[in-house]
Amino acid sequence: MSTATILPGIDLSRTPRPSSGFDPEVIDRQSIADLQAVGSDKWTRYPGCIGAFIAEMDFGLAPAIQRAIHDATDRCALGYIPDPWKRRLAEACALWQRERYGWDVDPSRIRVAPDILEILEVFLREVVGRGHAIVVPTPAYMPFLSVPRLYGVNVIEVPMLRRVQSVQSAQSAESSDSGNPAATGWDFDFEAIERAFAEPSTRGFMLCNPHNPIGKVLTEGEMLRISELAARYDVRIFSDEIHAPFVYRGRHVPFATLNELTARQSMTATSASKSFNIPGTKCAQVILTNPDDYEMWMDRAEWSEHQTATIGAIATTAAYTEGGDWYEDMLRYVRGNERLLDSWMRGELRKVGYVEPQGSYIAWLDFSPLGIEHPADYFYKKAHVALTDGRECGRVGAGCVRMNFAMPRPLLEECLTRMAAALKADGLI
Ligand SMILES: Cc1ncc(COP(=O)(O)O)c(C=O)c1O
């Protein structure tokens, strides 16, 4: 395999590269034109803009994945997904869960689907059911609000709470001219969650850990409290753990591993599509720790499995079994980006509402302290930066944007520079 194709536009063959194939120096040299030439949605949907909206990374492919895909095309092995690949993938996913999160999960309980949203659709259709409701903490990943409605499932939005520092330290921070200095974290509003669970139609809860878009990594205590409330009101839990590989502080604990009850309450959805940037290969995994869910899945989700891409199973298996070194190097780089973003948010952009993410590569920025009503439009027009409009993430999202910071670091610097320049030009910072 030629290394020259891992990042199009850059001749990697002349560059000494780390053994993982993840080379920060090469990534740093990627230009907007290079990324547009790759042709991702992120860099083509808004021509001329820095793409910081959709959750894709710009770091090429792990060599193990590229090798596996080349090998599959060499063998012309691209028919419908066969059982042996489903089994290999389930074993690879179980290995990843065991090695990374200490979850000794039985591979026979791991099934495939094209993506997380398809798994959510099965959950909505079969577990929650038409005419019932699902509780979604907000701001939320946008489809968590729109997809349930397609299945006749009502969404009950429960806003997350911004944690505030002690009064004294908040006052001293405010005196340093900070716009929203006191927010140090996010908490669940358990009272509001309990009220929503008590609604007679409520059947499901959307757990997203790490949380997109606020980057919260849930503690065991928080998950146990949710589990306790869910047990009281007979609510099932959809646990989306797609961002589990991106945790900067603390560690990822799969919800289903806490105890027997949480295993029965939850349907876990996971995928290598974020951590290895292969969402277009269409292969996610569902971990069915509730025996009734397993029966249901085997009886009613055949077409979801059938839609899963063989090339995705091949790519994902390679990612989980051979991609560890690339992943570790990638994570170090993304963590560096997070540090860069954080320094801007504590420096030039300190008047913007912000809580440092504990995980994921997404940040939630609140421009309402600056009086900007529609910040996504504002930065699109004034800075040529494409962000997700916070209103798509729930009613609490007015004045906010969701920002993806997994891009080459010089482009992230450019992105933040452009945003700050627009705000300065308008006298807002
Ligand atoms: C929390 C979360 N869940 C699900 C998805 C979508 O995953 P998939 O493409 O596998 O449906 C994303 C994509 O950004 C996400 O951030």
Side-chain angles (χ1 to χ4, degrees):
M1 179 195 63
S2 158
T3 52
T5 54
I6 289 176
L7 279 173
I10 302 258
D11 181 3
L12 297 178
S13 56
R14 283 199 230 123
T15 316
R17 309 177 59 230
S19 58
S20 73
F22 187 97
D23 188 339
E25 283 182 30
V26 169
I27 284 158
D28 283 351
R29 292 209 300 274
Q30 292 270 283
S31 67
I32 293 177
D34 292 331
L35 293 167
Q36 280 172 348
V38 175
S40 64
D41 191 17
K42 187 179 178 188
W43 291 93
T44 58
R45 201 187 302 181
Y46 302 104
C49 282
I50 292 186
F53 62 107
I54 199 167
E56 293 184 322
M57 303 194 294
D58 304 314
F59 309 138
L61 272 182
I65 296 178
Q66 204 172 35
R67 268 196 309 272
I69 290 175
H70 282 184
D71 181 55
T73 56
D74 288 348
R75 290 184 295 109
C76 307
L78 295 181
Y80 292 121
I81 187 165
D83 278 343
W85 266 116
K86 289 188 195 176
R87 277 199 295 275
R88 261 175 243 153
L89 169 65
E91 274 158 23
C93 178
L95 179 74
W96 181 271
Q97 292 292 331
R98 191 163 51 247
E99 287 186 343
R100 303 280 156 184
Y101 319 121
W103 186 1
D104 203 5
V105 58
D106 175 358
S108 75
R109 299 287 132 164
I110 302 180
R111 305 298 306 184
V112 298
D115 48 40
I116 299 276
L117 292 179
E118 176 75 20
I119 301 168
L120 174 61
E121 289 180 15
V122 175
F123 181 81
L124 293 166
R125 194 181 71 211
E126 305 292 342
V127 178
V128 177
R130 183 170 288 278
H132 295 126
I134 187 162
V135 177
V136 182
T138 55
Y141 173 53
M142 303 76 77
F144 293 168
L145 301 172
S146 57
V147 172
R149 295 184 179 119
L150 304 177
Y151 287 85
V153 170
N154 188 28
V155 170
I156 303 179
E157 295 186 28
V158 177
M160 297 290 298
L161 304 173
R162 263 182 255 236
R163 192 180 316 135
V164 172
Q165 278 174 345
S166 71
V167 175
Q168 199 186 358
S169 47
Q171 277 168 349
S172 61
E174 263 161 31
S175 64
S176 71
D177 187 30
S178 213
N180 190 6
T184 56
W186 292 93
D187 289 317
F188 286 100
D189 185 342
F190 286 110
E191 283 175 19
I193 289 174
E194 177 156 17
R195 278 196 300 278
F197 281 9
E199 290 285 328
S201 64
T202 299
R203 294 279 190 282
F205 179 75
M206 182 65 68
L207 189 95
C208 183
N209 184 30
H211 188 284
N212 169 4
I214 57 175
K216 177 179 174 64
V217 174
L218 273 61
T219 64
E220 290 188 29
E222 287 168 324
M223 290 191 276
L224 287 171
R225 183 111 186 249
I226 288 166
S227 164
E228 190 190 307
L229 289 174
R232 197 174 307 160
Y233 296 96
D234 204 12
V235 169
R236 292 293 314 279
I237 291 171
F238 187 80
S239 188
D240 178 339
E241 302 186 11
I242 194 171
H243 290 282
F246 301 91
V247 170
Y248 312 124
R249 266 172 299 282
R251 65 188 183 97
H252 175 72
V253 179
F255 183 83
T257 62
L258 290 171
N259 55 44
E260 278 178 25
L261 174 63
T262 61
R264 273 202 316 281
Q265 287 173 318
S266 54
M267 181 185 283
T268 304
T270 189
S271 168
S273 68
K274 296 291 126 188
S275 37
F276 289 88
N277 201 50
I278 48 172
T281 66
K282 290 292 161 201
C283 177
Q285 302 90 57
V286 59
I287 306 181
L288 298 157
T289 43
N290 175 314
D292 294 340
D293 286 352
Y294 180 78
E295 300 271 300
M296 173 279 293
W297 187 275
M298 298 312 281
D299 188 43
R300 318 254 316 153
E302 182 186 351
W303 295 115
S304 300
E305 295 212 354
H306 188 67
Q307 290 167 47
T308 308
T310 305
I311 200 72
I314 292 170
T316 303
T317 302
Y320 284 150
T321 55
E322 300 170 65
D325 290 353
W326 185 93
Y327 157 72
E328 305 273 350
D329 285 348
M330 175 278 297
L331 189 63
R332 237 185 310 281
Y333 188 92
V334 174
R335 174 72 172 137
N337 280 13
E338 192 275 329
R339 303 303 317 150
L340 175 67
L341 172 72
D342 192 62
S343 70
W344 274 82
M345 301 315 297
R346 289 176 199 280
E348 249 182 290
L349 295 173
R350 64 189 172 281
K351 290 186 178 172
V352 179
Y354 158 82
V355 176
E356 187 178 0
Q358 300 169 313
S360 87
Y361 54 77
I362 307 241
W364 182 251
L365 309 182
D366 180 359
F367 290 90
S368 55
L370 305 186
I372 304 177
E373 222 175 312
H374 302 301
D377 289 348
Y378 177 92
F379 290 112
Y380 177 69
K381 290 187 188 122
K382 299 203 172 200
H384 300 299
V385 170
L387 300 152
T388 307
D389 187 331
R391 289 171 301 179
E392 292 177 38
C393 302
R395 285 191 287 275
V396 290
C400 302
V401 293
R402 190 187 87 128
M403 175 179 185
N404 171 355
F405 56 83
M407 63 179 80
R409 200 165 301 152
L411 290 182
L412 180 60
E413 184 88 49
E414 164 81 18
C415 177
L416 294 162
T417 305
R418 286 189 194 185
M419 289 168 70
L423 296 172
K424 263 192 223 147
D426 284 337
L428 295 173
I429 58 170

